[in-house]
Amino acid sequence: MTEEELRFVEGFKVGERYMRAGTDIIAENEHDQYIYTLYAGWAARYRTLDDGRKQILGILLPGDMVGLQAAIFHEALHAVQAITDVTLCVFQKERFVELFRKQPMLGFDVTWLAAHSEAIVESNLLTVGRRNAVERVAHFIVSLHDRLEALDLVSEKTMRFPLTQQQIADALGLSIVHTNKTLKRLGERQLISLHSRQLTVHDRATLVEIARYDDEVAKVRPMI
Amino acid sequence: MTEEELRFVEGFKVGERYMRAGTDIIAENEHDQYIYTLYAGWAARYRTLDDGRKQILGILLPGDMVGLQAAIFHEALHAVQAITDVTLCVFQKERFVELFRKQPMLGFDVTWLAAHSEAIVESNLLTVGRRNAVERVAHFIVSLHDRLEALDLVSEKTMRFPLTQQQIADALGLSIVHTNKTLKRLGERQLISLHSRQLTVHDRATLVEIARYDDEVAKVRPMI
DNA sequence: CGCAGCGTTGATATGGATCAACAGAAGTGG
DNA sequence: CCACTTCTGTTGATCCATATCAACGCTGCG
């Protein structure tokens, strides 16, 4: 990022915001005037059916952008919920178009992020559409593991893992009971252990094999 | 679109390309030097597991962009297959970055398209993760119906519908047999009829209700 | 004529949902 | 400090939506 771009982004920034676990950062169909970047904590994008069924579309980790869709369409088609307490960098939405005009290469980076986020959703769609329960859970864990590792949030194969089993179930299109049993089976096979919000991946290789995990999404990312 | 932008896009265009039904326009992990716009015909983006299970991520209709991901990541994470015979407008990929630099607002439109395409995938993820078979088929049909209507490709509630049942099954994460039985049931209920690649939607309202269809994706779109 | 691709239909199997009950942990108010 | 509630996780029993298997029919084509 050039110095000029950096200065531009700084000027773009309004401040920071702190939100409690469980609250909605963005509600479905809402349009607020800000875009965010997740600075610390975990969040989840999700959509719901009117009878309450819920599907988590993707997990957001530090560095991810929140509210791009809302910025482009003037209202979000999905909601975003804080999974843990969360701190966000806040940017002004009105100046979003300005970014494309004045710093075209930053505009390109935004497109990069949009495409990247689509790639993750696609990957989740493949999982939910065509993998069985064990494969789904294995895939989910490996892919989160790798993302966290890239952020240097894994040490000794162990990471913070603040998701409830209900949330895992909603991400994978499974019932909570079956999710529980599947997790337990992976534990019995010594592939993972999960206690008090700490996850250890003992045997990534076997998980990859079970999940038919295909590395997939590029690791390089623009700084924004 | 300003005249200047129009001229730019024209200069960007390399030519046209015609492809037969069934061929891959873009293969998984391939990187070719072009980006396309679907000018006529239907196509499908899909991903596969190594044992052959296949998930269709989205149906592409005339006007949709093909290969954006490939342009941004230098290789595609999904493949794109022509469902019918297809004609494509071909653009040069190397000049893609140039577009952002010289015509920032076209860059914004590209981001718009990326976000739009993500919204469709998200919608499909919700479908596959949380709707049952009837709901899935109903949702799939209504949403295609509406997209085709916006393109003025529906007359008398009837449209060309070139998908095989295998393809519908792969889009919805169902088996082909169950897809067949579900379609049949919708037919018996007088909601649709589907014969020789022609689909008639007799009762959109009931389908919407079954699917809990939520209009969702914006209809305005930039010209590109 | 024979084959290949697609659709159709019934019989059977099963993965995962649903139901029900309970256990532990953490918070809350008295 | 103790009841009480709420949230999350655990486990077994049962049910059912969907997958799988197996045949067959139709159509178009070389």
Side-chain angles (χ1 to χ4, degrees), chain A residues 80-91:
Chain A
V80 180
Q81 185 178 44
I83 291 174
T84 63
D85 291 355
V86 129
T87 72
L88 302 154
C89 295
V90 185
F91 298 92

Side-chain angles (χ1 to χ4, degrees), chain B residues 7 10 15 24 63 74 76 81 91 100 113 115 125 131 133 135 142 151 154 198 213 216-217 219:
Chain B
R7 233 176 300 124
E10 280 304 318
D24 272 1
H74 304 295
Q81 185 179 44
F91 299 92
F100 279 83
L113 287 173
L125 177 52
R131 281 188 248 247
E135 293 167 347
V142 175
L151 294 169
V154 181
Q198 290 285 119
Y213 181 74
E216 49 209 32
V217 182
K219 268 140 203 159

Side-chain angles (χ1 to χ4, degrees), chain A residues 63-65 68 100 104-120 217-224, chain B residues 68-75 77 96-97 100 107 110-111 114-115 118:
Chain A
D64 288 334
M65 209 167 171
L68 177 58
F100 278 84
M105 290 324 287
L106 288 182
F108 183 83
D109 289 346
V110 169
T111 307
W112 192 99
L113 287 173
H116 184 256
S117 140
E118 173 169 357
I120 291 180
V217 181
K219 267 138 205 160
V220 230
R221 60 157 51 220
M223 278 287 303
I224 194 169
Chain B
L68 177 58
Q69 237 182 52
I72 289 181
F73 297 135
H74 304 295
E75 70 171 5
L77 304 167
F96 190 64
V97 170
F100 279 83
V110 169
T111 307
E118 173 169 358

Side-chain angles (χ1 to χ4, degrees), chain A residues 45 53 111 117-118 122, chain B residues 45 111 117-118 122 130:
Chain A
R45 302 186 299 127
R53 282 176 281 178
T111 307
S117 140
E118 173 169 357
E122 287 178 358
Chain B
R45 302 185 298 127
T111 307
S117 140
E118 173 169 358
E122 287 178 357
R130 290 304 187 200

Side-chain angles (χ1 to χ4, degrees), chain A residues 31-97:
Chain A
H31 64 296
D32 83 45
Q33 51 182 321
Y34 303 114
I35 312 178
Y36 308 92
T37 266
L38 187 53
Y39 184 75
W42 291 37
R45 302 186 299 127
Y46 68 93
R47 289 189 52 171
T48 51
L49 257 23
D50 53 23
D51 63 355
R53 282 176 281 178
K54 175 172 174 178
Q55 177 68 41
I56 289 182
L57 306 166
I59 304 294
L60 298 173
L61 299 180
D64 288 334
M65 209 167 171
V66 181
L68 177 58
Q69 235 182 56
I72 289 181
F73 298 135
H74 304 295
E75 71 171 5
L77 303 167
H78 58 242
V80 180
Q81 185 178 44
I83 291 174
T84 63
D85 291 355
V86 129
T87 72
L88 302 154
C89 295
V90 185
F91 298 92
Q92 301 172 52
K93 198 159 93 175
E94 313 86 55
R95 295 188 55 200
F96 190 64
V97 171

